[in-house]
Amino acid sequence: MPPELESFARIADQLGGHVLLVAGDGRLLCRNRSARTSLPDLPIGADLCDFVREPASFRRYLALAARSAQPLPGRVEIVGSPEPWRCKASALTLDGQRLIALPLYSAADATRRFLALNQQIRQLRAEVRRRRALEQ
């Protein structure tokens, strides 16, 4: 593995969660430790589109992500995985090459994050109401 990809993999290992690094043409270049554990059947160098349920749709998603300056939310069903993954693909340039970082998280994780965010919003609203009541 080239040194740039090794560096990316080391950083991605520290992030937690599942992170894939994909070339613009869909080739899997590297993945972090968590992704290697959960998705052991994805070989490095293979076209990731060969391992998803809707390859044409996923290829369009990757093409959009490669041109986007912001993380692009999406969903992917990897063959052999027990559930669909949520993702937020981000374009990045590594050693002059345009690549796509693809963090994956389960629907259950997405639901937990959404519920936690809603709880924080409720707490903030309660705090605003309490402070307004004190001001009167």
Side-chain angles (χ1 to χ4, degrees):
M1 183 182 307
E4 307 83 35
L5 296 181
E6 286 180 18
S7 296
F8 179 87
R10 278 195 306 274
I11 292 167
D13 282 344
Q14 301 304 314
L15 296 175
H18 305 69
V19 182
L20 308 177
L21 184 64
V22 182
D25 63 2
R27 279 178 301 114
L28 179 61
L29 300 175
C30 74
R31 56 193 169 168
N32 69 349
R33 185 178 304 115
S34 181
R36 284 190 302 272
T37 301
S38 295
L39 302 165
D41 296 332
L42 294 179
I44 298 298
D47 186 344
L48 191 55
C49 295
D50 292 340
F51 293 85
V52 300
R53 295 213 188 280
E54 298 176 18
S57 175
F58 187 66
R59 197 170 297 284
R60 283 191 302 274
Y61 172 72
L62 290 177
L64 284 172
R67 295 189 309 263
S68 177
Q70 299 295 319
L72 185 64
R75 179 180 177 275
V76 61
E77 289 186 57
I78 298 173
V79 175
S81 188
E83 65 177 313
W85 295 91
R86 303 285 195 254
C87 48
K88 285 188 179 176
S90 300
L92 58 94
T93 303
L94 190 61
D95 197 30
Q97 186 179 6
R98 191 75 166 175
L99 306 175
I100 302 161
L102 192 65
L104 304 173
Y105 49 97
S106 70
D109 286 342
T111 300
R112 275 193 294 279
R113 290 178 187 177
F114 181 75
L115 293 174
L117 178 61
N118 279 333
Q119 178 63 28
Q120 288 176 329
I121 290 170
R122 282 193 292 277
Q123 289 171 346
L124 287 170
R125 285 181 179 158
E127 180 65 19
V128 167
R129 282 193 301 271
R130 186 185 71 76
R131 287 184 184 199
R132 283 184 180 162
L134 289 173
E135 288 175 0
Q136 293 177 3

